[in-house]
Amino acid sequence: YWREHGLETRVARFHNIFGPFGTYAGGREKAPAAICRKVAQAVISGENEIEVWGDGKQTRSFMYIDDCTKGIDLIMHCEELIATPINLGSSELVSINDLVSMIEDIAGVKLERHYKLDAPQGVAGRNSDNTKLREVLGWEPQISLEDGLKRTYDWIEAQLKEKLAKENADADKAAALKEKGLLIEEWNLDDVKADLTWCGRDGSPTKVHRIQSVVLTATEHKSVAPTDEGIREMIHELIDDHTIG
């Protein structure tokens, strides 16, 4: 694009970016987030063990997200780097075993490690050569791995605790609804739909059904059968509004 159209472009090669507000579960997260999650889960559950993919000897470099955004800004404003590839990452090399130890120190625990040798582990070693980054920009990532891991661990641990609290609250609510006979998941929705009465002004159908002596009403523009999800949504709204329960 630069040669053919005169469009200024920049090419930054990122090396393992991590930090809060990123993916930390599901299999697509980077090693720092994955290990932070595993350690936090061990702490919360009280299970003093962790699964490590590979033998833990593979090495990587990891760059904290704040350094990444700073580097992007510097690269985008450097005319010398127009259409010129450059590495953007940390040159601090660390093994996965060392990474686990750092996060254990942050969490204040020591876990028994189980190595999953048949799990994906990538190449044996990789890090960022920042020679050109220093020469051209006079800068390279400044935030230490320990500092970035601390910020990331604290955020992930908070996310896991919040999720657990919500699951516990939902379980308590479900137990209370079950006791009252209002646990929607246990209702036979086929019977509910079969009992729906269709009525309305000028043929405009309205779904009406009496549940626990309460009439649920939802206007529809087409005469179609209500879905299970639609019925559940209506009932949940009534329960949340204390109309029933």
Side-chain angles (χ1 to χ4, degrees):
Y1 285 97
W2 171 241
R3 289 194 303 267
E4 297 179 11
H5 305 287
L7 177 66
E8 290 190 6
T9 58
R10 305 295 193 282
V11 182
R13 291 192 291 255
F14 295 164
H15 288 254
N16 297 317
I17 316 304
F18 76 100
F21 304 101
T23 299
Y24 63 90
R28 299 182 63 85
E29 67 277 16
K30 297 296 184 182
I35 297 174
C36 282
R37 184 197 76 244
K38 291 179 180 181
V39 171
Q41 287 174 330
V43 170
I44 294 171
S45 67
E47 298 179 359
N48 294 316
E49 56 184 19
I50 183 174
E51 180 182 83
V52 179
W53 284 14
D55 58 10
K57 297 178 182 178
Q58 61 270 41
T59 57
R60 298 287 186 275
S61 64
F62 303 98
M63 179 171 61
Y64 189 67
I65 182 62
D66 288 8
D67 274 333
C68 181
T69 56
K70 173 67 174 179
I72 291 173
D73 182 61
L74 292 173
I75 291 170
M76 292 300 295
H77 290 87
C78 179
E79 292 189 3
E80 189 175 340
L81 292 177
I82 294 176
T84 303
I86 190 168
N87 290 329
L88 180 54
S90 171
S91 58
E92 182 181 356
L93 197 64
V94 62
S95 72
I96 298 302
N97 275 328
D98 289 340
L99 193 66
V100 174
S101 296
M102 289 181 186
I103 299 172
E104 285 177 332
D105 289 343
I106 291 170
V109 296
K110 189 67 177 177
L111 306 176
E112 180 180 348
R113 301 180 190 183
H114 301 286
Y115 294 96
K116 188 174 176 60
L117 299 179
D118 60 347
Q121 53 184 309
V123 299
R126 181 192 302 122
N127 78 322
S128 178
D129 182 348
N130 289 344
T131 303
K132 188 171 185 177
L133 192 70
R134 291 190 296 269
E135 289 176 352
V136 176
L137 298 178
W139 174 90
E140 66 178 317
Q142 301 295 306
I143 298 173
S144 69
L145 180 58
E146 290 85 350
D147 190 9
L149 288 174
K150 176 67 167 62
R151 302 181 197 181
T152 304
Y153 178 84
D154 289 346
W155 179 79
I156 290 177
E157 183 184 47
Q159 297 302 302
L160 293 174
K161 287 182 176 179
E162 181 179 334
K163 180 181 179 182
L164 180 60
K166 183 180 185 305
E167 289 173 351
N168 290 337
D170 288 345
D172 291 342
K173 181 178 180 180
L177 293 175
K178 182 179 178 69
E179 185 177 348
K180 296 179 181 180
L182 294 176
L183 189 58
I184 299 168
E185 286 71 19
E186 293 187 348
W187 291 6
N188 187 332
L189 295 184
D190 287 336
D191 291 344
V192 173
K193 289 185 285 187
D195 287 343
L196 284 171
T197 301
W198 295 89
C199 60
R201 183 178 56 191
D202 299 328
S204 175
T206 301
K207 295 180 296 189
V208 180
H209 180 66
R210 186 170 296 274
I211 299 175
Q212 299 292 328
S213 301
V214 175
V215 177
L216 304 181
T217 305
T219 301
E220 292 283 339
H221 297 292
K222 295 181 180 179
S223 182
V224 295
T227 64
D228 289 3
E229 185 59 34
I231 293 174
R232 288 195 177 97
E233 183 177 347
M234 285 189 290
I235 299 170
H236 274 305
E237 288 178 357
L238 290 172
I239 292 173
D240 289 342
D241 292 340
H242 304 291
T243 304
I244 60 177

